[in-house]
């Protein structure tokens, strides 16, 4: 199969040009057309000679995804469902707010982790996304962001799939996103959200990247996390917290814990006590995510008052916590919801 040019790292692109006896400065021109300028074909690369365009067309693919579905929420949140070459469907979201414009990107088609509140796992796992498929989502979201006042500034890997389970493609994509010749988005504006794959957290610490790490904790101790997240049987609560402590020590970066608020399950006084013990001496913040109902699970979202009380008791215990504002509720913007809904229709 013809490779996609967006699967090439900077080093791989320059190596290709060298082996094809093409001047090295063309690499910068090619990347400039693909990433900052966002052209979708080689013919649009104005300053390349015709024979080079023909050569690139023969050697590589470069094009947009087929858009299966696009929905714009009242709050401007825009959700895409893309139809990939093998008809796997993936979701990406543009989230414009008053202070920043964020892209939420998927890393796998489906998910193998089966968390008991998340729509992404319901249809099972299909495959990893390639580096090209990761950055192409961003090209689409970036193009869409031009309709909004603020340029695309932040990326969160919080779409379908587990980013750290697709480690090599994720790292390659992040280097393109981060590169001043690529998307030029600062590492501190890139967030990787993980279900808690302990060995990969350690590996990430060794990458020398200043990216933000968000860990989906959701349980407050081992038994509660076992119930909600099957991955906890492989990487238990205490091992995960220990890996997070090590990550903070090695990278000198703070960690964010994501914590889902489910009525009567995670949002309880004993949860606060347990979290206080677990986080002792660890510099971190908690992002409290109101549960976005998925009918298959039968959980309930706590009332606003219950959520505020939970946040306040965490704060009183010395744990910095904020409640995430839900966005795009009217467009099924929670993880995997649109994909799941469309799969069930077909
Ligand atoms: N696999 C990664 C990233 C994808 S999920 C991870 O687990 O972190 C992104 C975030 O959305 C996670 O914190 C996930 O737990 C949360 N999430 C999934 N389903 C949700 C739901 N129904 N309501 C609220 N948050 C949800």
């Amino acid at each position: 199969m013809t490779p996609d040019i967006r699967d090439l790292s900077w080093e791989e692109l320059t190596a290709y040009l060298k082996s094809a006896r093409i001047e090295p400065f063309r690499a910068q021109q090619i990347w400039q057309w693909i990433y900052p300028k966002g052209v979708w074909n080689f013919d649009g690369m104005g300053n390349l000679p015709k024979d080079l365009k023909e050569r690139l067309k023969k050697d590589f693919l470069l094009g947009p995804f087929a858009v299966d579905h696009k929905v714009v929420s009242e709050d401007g949140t825009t959700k895409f469902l893309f139809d990939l070459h093998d008809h796997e469907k993936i979701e990406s979201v543009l989230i414009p707010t008053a202070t920043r414009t964020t892209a939420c990107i998927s890393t796998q088609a489906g998910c193998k982790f089966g968390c008991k509140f998340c729509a992404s796992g319901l249809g099972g796992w299909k495959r990893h996304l390639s580096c090209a498929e990761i950055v192409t989502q961003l090209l689409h979201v970036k193009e869409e962001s031009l309709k909004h006042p603020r340029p695309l500034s932040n990326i969160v890997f919080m779409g379908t799939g587990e980013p750290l389970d697709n480690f090599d493609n994720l790292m390659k994509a992040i280097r393109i996103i981060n590169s001043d010749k690529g998307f030029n988005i600062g590492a501190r504006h890139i967030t990787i959200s993980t279900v808690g794959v302990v060995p990969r957290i350690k590996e990430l610490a060794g990458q020398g990247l200043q990216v933000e790490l968000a860990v989906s904790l959701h349980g407050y101790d081992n038994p509660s996390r076992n119930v909600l997240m099957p991955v906890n049987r492989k990487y238990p609560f205490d091992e995960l917290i220990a890996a997070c402590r090590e990550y903070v020590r090695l990278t000198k970066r703070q960690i964010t814990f994501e914590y889902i608020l489910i009525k009567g399950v995670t949002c309880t006084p004993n949860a606060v006590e347990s979290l206080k013990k677990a986080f002792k001496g660890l510099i971190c913040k908690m992002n409290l995510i109101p549960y976005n109902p998925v009918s298959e699970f039968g959980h309930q979202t706590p009332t606003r008052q219950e959520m505020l009380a939970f946040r306040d008791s965490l704060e009183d215990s010395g744990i910095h916590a904020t409640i995430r504002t839900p966005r795009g509720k009217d467009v099924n913007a929670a993880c995997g919801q649109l994909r799941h809904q469309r799969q069930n229709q077909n």
Side-chain angles (χ1 to χ4, degrees):
M1 211 173 101
T2 312
D4 190 304
I5 197 163
R6 293 160 293 194
D7 266 324
L8 269 55
S9 65
W10 177 256
E11 292 73 23
E12 287 167 342
L13 178 62
T14 50
Y16 158 81
L17 294 176
K18 192 167 178 202
S19 71
R21 299 179 190 286
I22 300 165
E23 309 95 310
F25 73 91
R26 298 292 182 194
Q28 183 135 8
Q29 291 178 328
I30 294 167
W31 264 34
Q32 210 156 45
W33 284 113
I34 301 176
Y35 301 116
K37 295 189 179 163
V39 301
W40 292 113
N41 55 60
F42 294 110
D43 284 328
M45 300 187 174
N47 54 1
L48 300 192
K50 189 155 186 348
D51 58 336
L52 177 54
K53 287 187 217 171
E54 292 306 318
R55 172 83 200 251
L56 293 171
K57 265 201 264 185
K58 196 162 67 61
D59 288 350
F60 297 108
L61 298 173
L62 170 65
F65 289 139
V67 179
D68 178 278
H69 217 68
K70 181 182 147 189
V71 250
V72 184
S73 160
E74 289 164 1
D75 63 19
T77 301
T78 305
K79 184 142 193 169
F80 290 94
L81 188 69
F82 298 114
D83 186 18
L84 305 183
H85 64 86
D86 56 357
H87 297 301
E88 279 306 326
K89 308 253 192 307
I90 54 164
E91 300 179 359
S92 319
V93 191
L94 169 76
I95 309 158
T97 72
T99 52
R100 59 173 73 168
T101 300
T102 303
C104 177
I105 300 296
S106 295
T107 52
Q108 297 180 320
C111 186
K112 44 174 106 150
F113 289 86
C115 297
K116 303 287 182 238
F117 46 80
C118 179
S120 288
L122 289 172
W125 184 77
K126 304 293 183 199
R127 64 172 176 86
H128 291 304
L129 298 184
S130 64
C131 168
E133 288 169 330
I134 296 173
V135 297
T136 303
Q137 293 174 64
L138 202 54
L139 288 170
H140 277 277
V141 173
K142 188 175 164 185
E143 188 176 68
E144 184 71 20
S145 74
L146 302 176
K147 298 178 185 166
H148 295 268
R150 291 179 185 282
L152 184 67
S153 54
N154 292 68
I155 317 257
V156 295
F157 287 101
M158 293 186 184
T160 302
E162 167 52 35
L164 296 188
D165 190 47
N166 187 10
F167 198 82
D168 294 344
N169 291 342
L170 176 75
M171 287 305 129
K172 200 171 187 184
I174 287 182
R175 294 193 198 279
I176 295 175
I177 294 166
N178 189 214
S179 165
D180 57 359
K181 302 182 209 68
F183 287 93
N184 197 20
I185 292 182
R188 285 163 192 246
H189 292 182
I190 302 172
T191 301
I192 299 174
S193 178
T194 179
V195 76
V197 186
V198 165
R200 298 297 196 183
I201 293 176
K202 294 182 183 164
E203 205 173 331
L204 182 65
Q207 293 287 312
L209 283 169
Q210 299 282 304
V211 290
E212 298 290 324
L213 181 63
V215 174
S216 290
L217 192 63
H218 305 322
Y220 48 86
D221 60 10
N222 213 42
S224 64
R225 198 165 188 269
N226 268 341
V227 172
L228 291 171
M229 303 176 75
V231 68
N232 195 67
R233 297 186 186 272
K234 192 159 184 195
Y235 304 117
F237 187 89
D238 291 340
E239 273 180 38
L240 176 59
I241 301 287
C244 292
R245 287 184 192 275
E246 184 66 0
Y247 182 90
V248 171
R249 192 182 68 78
L250 289 171
T251 61
K252 315 262 182 298
R253 315 250 334 130
Q254 216 187 56
I255 282 190
T256 300
F257 288 101
E258 293 162 284
Y259 189 86
I260 195 162
L261 298 175
I262 304 175
K263 195 179 180 80
V265 178
T266 60
C267 197
T268 59
N270 62 325
V272 177
E273 280 314 303
S274 179
L275 289 169
K276 192 173 148 185
K277 276 193 215 126
F279 290 164
K280 206 161 188 220
L282 177 65
I283 305 165
C284 63
K285 51 186 176 189
M286 281 197 99
N287 207 335
L288 306 175
I289 316 175
Y291 168 63
N292 199 330
V294 176
S295 58
E296 279 82 351
F297 299 114
H299 295 303
Q300 278 179 296
T301 314
T303 62
R304 182 87 196 143
Q305 254 167 341
E306 285 168 327
M307 295 196 279
L308 291 173
F310 187 75
R311 182 205 57 195
D312 290 347
S313 50
L314 283 173
E315 289 274 341
D316 291 344
S317 305
I319 300 171
H320 180 48
T322 48
I323 300 177
R324 184 185 293 172
T325 319
R327 301 232 159 234
K329 263 198 147 162
D330 53 328
V331 295
N332 278 320
C335 216
Q337 282 187 351
L338 183 61
R339 179 173 181 272
H340 179 59
Q341 189 193 55
R342 296 283 295 166
Q343 255 172 356
N344 285 357
Q345 279 168 5
N346 293 335

